[in-house]
Amino acid sequence: MTTSLLLFLFFLPLVKPDSDPVQDYCVPDTGSSPVELTKLSSYPCKNPTNVTAGDFVFSGILSPGNFSAETGFAGISVNPVQFPGLNTLGMSFARADFQPGGVNPPHYHPRATETALVLSGKVYSGFVDSTGRVHARVIEKGEVMVFPKGMVHFQLNVGKSMATIYGSFNSQNPGLIRLPMTVFGSGIRDAVLEKAFGLTEEELEKLKKRFEPKDLVVDD
């Protein structure tokens, strides 16, 4: 047996995908406390005899969320915190609503592929692959677009009426990295951003004021 084959067999168990659940479901039993995403693995499952159909029904996306005055976008993300019945099922979902001209700024999900189904309206939708190529087109009611895991993607309502999209993810915790906020609102040193983007101090300050959260804590 060659050395390379031995190494492959040694590392194979380390790169296998997540194991499938060993039970039908696991609705977390937190007592009277709310579910915390970082503690999901520590919660016991509800006794199946105490689980009801209501544990598997969620009504929190019947209406749009709160619209941003800047972007005209409203998003509601749903994971096991909001809908405990999703726990261990390897999925989550979101509702996105767009006012005319509304935009979901460039962002990506580090731990999930997303499918986006247009429920109403016309949305210019796309992603950028690792070669820098943009894959984008207008999608309409009934059409679905897929955004591969870790790819930067975006959506813009190009119609004259409201638009709504239902997004689903193949992870119960897909993560969300918003590019403008991450770059200009996370506390990266000014010298780095000025050099990287060719910005003056005044231009950078305007961007920081727009995207920097008020409660930002910077670790130097």
Side-chain angles (χ1 to χ4, degrees):
M1 187 176 292
T2 66
T3 301
S4 59
L5 180 57
L6 284 171
L7 288 172
F8 173 77
L9 293 174
F10 176 79
F11 284 109
L12 186 60
L14 304 181
V15 297
K16 65 181 181 180
D18 294 339
S19 300
D20 287 334
V22 295
Q23 51 202 12
D24 294 340
Y25 50 79
C26 177
V27 179
D29 186 353
T30 64
S32 58
S33 302
V35 175
E36 295 185 40
L37 197 59
T38 57
K39 296 181 179 180
L40 275 176
S41 61
S42 67
Y43 295 133
C45 303
K46 275 188 180 181
N47 188 315
T49 60
N50 296 327
V51 173
T52 68
D55 287 305
F56 304 106
V57 177
F58 184 77
S59 303
I61 59 170
L62 293 175
S63 302
N66 297 319
F67 284 93
S68 165
E70 293 184 343
T71 63
F73 171 78
I76 302 175
S77 297
V78 183
N79 59 41
V81 171
Q82 296 80 20
F83 188 9
L86 292 174
N87 186 40
T88 73
L89 301 184
M91 68 161 299
S92 55
F93 56 90
R95 171 174 175 157
D97 292 272
F98 304 77
Q99 296 171 342
V103 63
N104 188 5
H107 63 282
Y108 67 93
H109 307 286
R111 293 182 290 275
T113 291
E114 176 183 1
T115 57
L117 166 66
V118 180
L119 300 179
S120 64
K122 298 180 180 181
V123 181
Y124 177 68
S125 183
F127 68 92
V128 183
D129 66 23
S130 59
T131 69
R133 183 182 177 190
V134 179
H135 303 269
R137 56 166 285 184
V138 174
I139 55 177
E140 302 184 34
K141 181 178 179 180
E143 293 188 301
V144 179
M145 189 166 194
V146 62
F147 304 127
K149 181 171 71 173
M151 299 288 100
V152 173
H153 55 281
F154 51 86
Q155 296 156 325
L156 172 70
N157 182 0
V158 294
K160 296 181 179 180
S161 59
M162 295 284 293
T164 300
I165 282 181
Y166 175 85
S168 59
F169 307 90
N170 65 340
S171 169
Q172 67 178 23
N173 183 19
L176 173 60
I177 308 295
R178 297 183 176 92
L179 294 192
M181 294 176 64
T182 300
V183 174
F184 299 108
S186 60
I188 297 174
R189 289 189 177 182
D190 290 1
V192 174
L193 298 177
E194 289 171 8
K195 186 73 172 180
F197 295 98
L199 299 169
T200 64
E201 290 184 16
E202 293 76 15
E203 290 170 336
L204 178 58
E205 193 60 31
K206 288 181 180 179
L207 289 168
K208 288 174 61 179
K209 284 182 177 179
R210 178 172 181 180
F211 296 112
E212 188 174 78
K214 294 180 180 179
D215 57 349
L216 176 66
V217 176
V218 180
D219 183 4
D220 288 328

